[in-house]
Amino acid sequence: MPNWPKLPPRLVQKALSAHLLLGLALSALLYIVSITGVVATFAHELRIWETPASPVMHSVSAEDIDRALDNVLESSTPLPSRINLYLPTDETPHFRLMADRAEIVLDAEGNAQNSPQSPWTDFVVGLHHQLNLPRILGLAVVGLVGMLMLASIMSGFLAHPKILRDAFIFRVSGSKRLQQADIHNRLSVWTSPFHIAIAFSGAVLGLCTIVAVAIAPLEYGGNSGAVFQTIFGNGPAGASSGSTHAASQAFSWFRSEHPDLEPDMISLSSPGTDHQTIQILARHPRRLISGEYYYFSGDGTFTGSAHVSDGFIGQQLMSSMYRLHFGTFGGLTIKWIYALLGLFLSVIVATGMNIYFMKRQAAGRSAPKLEALWASIVWGAPASIACGFLLEQLWPDFGNLLVMQFWLLLCMISLATISGWLARPAFRLRLLTFAAISVGVGQHLAQNYHHLGKSPSLMTSGTLLAVAVCFLAPELVGLFGRILHARNLPDV
Amino acid sequence: MIALGLTLAILLSWVGLYLIKSVWSQRGSARRHVLLAAWIILILAHCLAYAIYQDAGAAICSMATACVACFLVMASNRAELKAAISPEKKTRKRTRTARTKADPDISKGGRFRAGTVFLLAGPGAIIGAMSATLLIYQVCAHAGAAPADSIVIAFFAFPVLAAALSTYILMGREHLLRMTSWTGGLMMVCAVLISIMGDY
């Protein structure tokens, strides 16, 4: 088959050079973002697992809402400026209430408890969203990583004109470099639609704030918030006095008018004052949009919606970006597919760098320290995340130190690997990851044995243990091979 | 007035860029003064744009892009720039030859190490893409697209343009000067068009 597309060799060479450059500059950050992305895909499940004592509720009534709001307003002086009620859904079966920054969780009898925290999941999600940097800066940096990943995909395609001809070639028995190149190229090609979607949606989500800041002076008087309001709505109009019971009235009205929609959140602005407004965020089944905002006046009268679901195409597209990026639109099946494809991305990044080091070695320019640094990132990042997981299970107050622990441990692992102090880093770090996850899960089960009846918690524990075992896969495969080989030996 | 101010600033920038390019082949220490003069003209031009068009993103963007473009153009030939500052050309040439032999990366990829090129090309690509994005936004808004649609088109266009532009610049890294000049040119044209469209 002739090469397609037919590209001049010089252009291919240039594209390869650009691809290499992007890979070198991007690899470490992209690798960390991709492995944390795999974990973040299951954020809902992990949060439930981390908070087994949290009261489970599958639905709420108007009375539950009244009781919850009364509970908060009676104990709050001064009144909070905003109250968000997060209603139980299939993914998160908890009824939570957030008054300004204070969060509580409510049981079926309306009793309020301090909201149990899930610091490890929050840390991993934070690492994926913003690399633990301040919010806007972090989002922009991760958005740039997405943008450069898009550039890397573009240059990768330009650099491989034989992409169709070689689509089914996989040289298992070839040299190690060929094997790595085949893994890198085949996985890249076959998973490229997913990776383009992920890189694009990630870049849009991360960089939209920057673009909004640039657009704002042109037509919005420098107010970047107004740029987002054009897409997601201005919020409810018709502020008026009303009791907080208006929220339950609005909820009841919504339930009767839209029985097919799933309300996710009820939000009260200036509750209990003369400027009270209410909005309900509801999910539309079989739609990719995050949800539609329904507006109510202070007394609970419906006043309109943001038209995210039926407005301009731009509103619908933008609202779909989040669920497209995180795969929260098709249940666990889609999440597993996303996790698997995200894992492939980590493999693509790792093999890409491996090819680079092998090429250098073949050219007589090996860079052992750089190679050791790369190995420490590949295996050190999961090991650091897993150690945080273990420490948080052993000492619940450790949650506040997770960010510091991760970066510090990663630096220490890198230094130990570069200096040669840590021999066989790949094996030892995999072993550390396996041990940390296994002991962490064991500790969690021992602490929460009375909640073991909850099937989601058991399933998550089992999955985590399976993931831990996967880290020892190369050693286990080797062990099996040796056992089989020993059995096949003729008796002497 | 706004358009006039920005156009003036942009024209001055072009003069600055032209001066930098034209003195590239000249020899002698005088080049250093011309380079510095061009640099100052660029900065002043964009300070002027900022002063006239204070609250507009286009002017700020234009100023920032021109500074980065100018920096890229100047830094794109590190060795030449070094020569402009230091008259010891012979020493420089010998050093470069020795370094090229020692590290084929330098000879293969032009004159720079990967990290340097990336650090130079990255900001140029991002700010160039932002200028083009703002232009696209203005075109959409003036063509009668809904405000939400124009904004979302801009949101979507920016990462794609930035990715394409960074790939383009990195692919031509041995001609980084030409690439950055083109990118700088794109930014300037965008800034003028944005300014004019903002007026009418």
Side-chain angles (χ1 to χ4, degrees):
Chain A
M1 185 194 277
N3 296 347
W4 184 89
K6 186 81 179 163
L7 294 171
R10 193 167 149 69
L11 179 73
V12 173
Q13 189 56 42
K14 281 180 175 181
L16 199 59
S17 163
H19 189 65
L20 167 70
L21 208 56
L22 280 163
L24 284 176
L26 192 64
S27 52
L29 282 184
L30 182 56
Y31 180 77
I32 290 173
V33 170
S34 64
I35 56 165
T36 50
V38 172
V39 182
T41 309
F42 298 104
H44 285 297
E45 289 74 14
L46 287 166
R47 281 203 178 100
I48 292 171
W49 184 81
E50 270 199 274
T51 55
S54 195
V56 172
M57 278 180 83
H58 294 287
S59 63
V60 288
S61 63
E63 290 74 36
D64 292 327
I65 291 169
D66 281 341
R67 209 180 302 140
L69 287 170
D70 289 344
N71 229 333
V72 169
L73 291 176
E74 277 167 17
S75 59
S76 303
T77 17
L79 290 174
S81 61
R82 191 176 192 86
I83 295 179
N84 289 338
L85 286 151
Y86 298 95
L87 309 180
T89 60
D90 292 340
E91 278 182 336
T92 329
H94 302 306
F95 181 28
R96 291 182 299 128
L97 186 150
M98 187 177 261
D100 288 337
R101 289 201 172 260
E103 189 178 347
I104 55 168
V105 65
L106 297 125
D107 62 15
E109 283 76 44
N111 300 318
Q113 300 175 10
N114 282 334
S115 184
Q117 302 298 306
S118 48
W120 183 76
T121 308
D122 293 343
F123 154 72
V124 177
V125 171
L127 188 56
H128 179 74
H129 279 196
Q130 55 209 62
L131 286 169
N132 304 136
L133 292 167
R135 187 168 167 74
I136 300 291
L137 175 68
L139 280 173
V141 171
V142 174
L144 285 177
V145 170
M147 181 275 280
L148 291 172
M149 182 180 156
L150 211 52
S152 199
I153 294 171
M154 284 180 193
S155 56
F157 268 103
L158 285 174
H160 297 90
K162 296 175 183 172
I163 220 157
L164 283 186
R165 199 189 71 179
D166 293 348
F168 298 97
I169 292 177
F170 189 70
R171 289 161 288 194
V172 186
S173 56
S175 71
K176 201 174 174 198
R177 190 172 124 190
L178 278 180
Q179 277 179 20
Q180 294 281 312
D182 280 348
I183 293 172
H184 182 80
N185 294 343
R186 298 299 87 75
L187 281 183
S188 305
V189 171
W190 290 114
T191 58
S192 56
F194 168 78
H195 291 147
I196 290 170
I198 289 298
F200 175 71
S201 54
V204 168
L205 289 171
L207 298 172
C208 63
T209 315
I210 309 290
V211 180
V213 168
I215 287 175
L218 293 176
E219 291 196 19
Y220 296 89
N223 179 10
S224 56
V227 176
F228 286 107
Q229 282 173 0
T230 309
I231 300 169
F232 297 109
N234 294 323
S240 60
S241 61
S243 75
T244 49
H245 290 201
S248 60
Q249 287 168 29
F251 177 73
S252 301
W253 178 89
F254 185 82
R255 274 278 189 225
S256 61
E257 289 294 313
H258 301 286
D260 52 326
L261 305 184
E262 300 162 11
D264 262 354
M265 184 180 76
I266 301 174
S267 184
L268 286 90
S269 190
S270 308
T273 68
D274 292 343
H275 306 288
Q276 175 172 288
T277 55
I278 300 163
Q279 64 178 343
I280 293 178
L281 171 65
R283 202 180 292 185
H284 285 230
R286 308 189 70 78
R287 292 285 306 272
L288 204 55
I289 57 166
S290 297
E292 174 68 277
Y293 295 94
Y294 294 88
Y295 301 145
F296 299 85
S297 62
D299 59 1
T301 310
F302 176 68
T303 56
S305 72
H307 295 293
V308 173
S309 61
D310 56 356
F312 295 111
I313 190 83
Q315 289 177 287
Q316 299 183 39
L317 282 173
M318 195 60 200
S319 181
S320 305
M321 283 294 116
Y322 186 88
R323 295 183 78 190
L324 176 69
H325 187 78
F326 286 97
T328 52
F329 56 85
L332 264 178
T333 316
I334 294 291
K335 285 187 176 185
W336 275 109
I337 293 171
Y338 262 62
L340 193 68
L341 292 169
L343 205 60
F344 285 164
L345 175 59
S346 317
V347 175
I348 290 166
V349 177
T351 50
M353 287 301 289
N354 290 348
I355 296 166
Y356 169 74
F357 289 122
M358 286 173 187
K359 275 186 179 175
R360 277 191 78 127
Q361 204 168 20
R365 295 184 300 118
S366 60
K369 291 206 169 170
L370 205 58
E371 206 168 342
L373 179 67
W374 178 241
S376 70
I377 290 170
V378 168
W379 299 113
S384 300
I385 292 171
C387 285
F389 170 78
L390 171 64
L391 292 169
E392 200 261 318
Q393 291 304 321
L394 293 174
W395 296 285
D397 290 341
F398 194 80
N400 298 325
L401 302 172
L402 281 170
V403 173
M404 196 180 71
Q405 173 269 328
F406 170 77
W407 291 106
L408 204 63
L409 187 58
L410 190 59
C411 288
M412 282 164 64
I413 290 172
S414 302
L415 285 174
T417 313
I418 292 169
S419 63
W421 183 79
L422 185 65
R424 296 179 67 203
F427 167 68
R428 288 183 179 200
L429 290 170
R430 281 203 305 266
L431 193 65
L432 177 65
T433 313
F434 164 78
I437 298 176
S438 308
V439 178
V441 172
Q443 170 70 11
H444 177 85
L445 291 175
Q447 270 179 346
N448 302 289
Y449 62 92
H450 44 281
H451 297 293
L452 279 179
K454 292 178 186 176
S455 57
S457 220
L458 264 184
M459 264 178 64
T460 312
S461 300
T463 310
L464 283 168
L465 285 174
V467 169
V469 172
C470 285
F471 275 92
L472 285 188
E475 282 68 33
L476 291 175
V477 170
L479 187 67
F480 269 116
R482 280 198 296 278
I483 292 169
L484 286 176
H485 183 68
R487 282 195 175 177
N488 291 337
L489 282 177
D491 293 335
V492 181
Chain B
M1 183 64 187
I2 294 164
L4 185 70
L6 251 185
T7 311
L8 186 67
I10 300 305
L11 281 173
L12 281 170
S13 306
W14 270 115
V15 172
L17 279 175
Y18 176 76
L19 280 175
I20 291 171
K21 283 200 74 173
S22 63
V23 297
W24 216 251
S25 55
Q26 289 177 16
R27 289 175 182 278
S29 59
R31 179 162 55 177
R32 175 179 45 169
H33 303 295
V34 183
L35 279 171
L36 282 174
W39 176 263
I40 291 164
I41 288 174
L42 271 170
I43 302 292
L44 283 178
H46 289 278
C47 286
L48 179 68
Y50 184 61
I52 294 170
Y53 203 20
Q54 276 178 14
D55 60 346
I60 301 164
C61 181
S62 160
M63 184 173 70
T65 50
C67 289
V68 173
C70 184
F71 172 69
L72 290 175
V73 170
M74 289 177 81
S76 66
N77 198 329
R78 195 172 48 177
E80 296 260 349
L81 194 65
K82 212 172 170 181
I85 295 162
S86 156
E88 296 168 21
K89 285 191 206 62
K90 285 181 182 174
T91 316
R92 173 181 60 82
K93 276 183 183 170
R94 273 204 303 274
T95 313
R96 255 183 60 191
T97 314
R99 284 186 63 202
T100 307
K101 276 182 183 169
D103 190 344
D105 257 1
I106 296 172
S107 58
K108 192 182 169 191
R111 284 170 281 253
F112 311 105
R113 283 190 166 275
T116 315
V117 174
F118 196 83
L119 284 175
L120 291 176
I126 289 161
I127 299 171
M130 182 61 88
S131 304
T133 301
L134 290 177
L135 177 63
I136 289 170
Y137 170 78
Q138 287 283 41
V139 169
C140 289
H142 281 75
D149 289 345
S150 305
I151 293 168
V152 173
I153 288 170
F155 282 176
F156 285 11
F158 177 63
V160 176
L161 285 170
L165 210 51
S166 53
T167 309
Y168 170 72
I169 291 177
L170 291 175
M171 279 172 68
R173 64 177 159 136
E174 68 268 39
H175 303 296
L176 202 61
L177 174 66
R178 200 174 63 197
M179 294 290 145
T180 44
S181 300
W182 274 105
T183 314
L186 171 72
M187 295 175 205
M188 303 301 166
V189 172
C190 288
V192 173
L193 288 173
I194 290 164
S195 139
I196 292 169
M197 292 182 89
D199 267 5
Y200 303 102

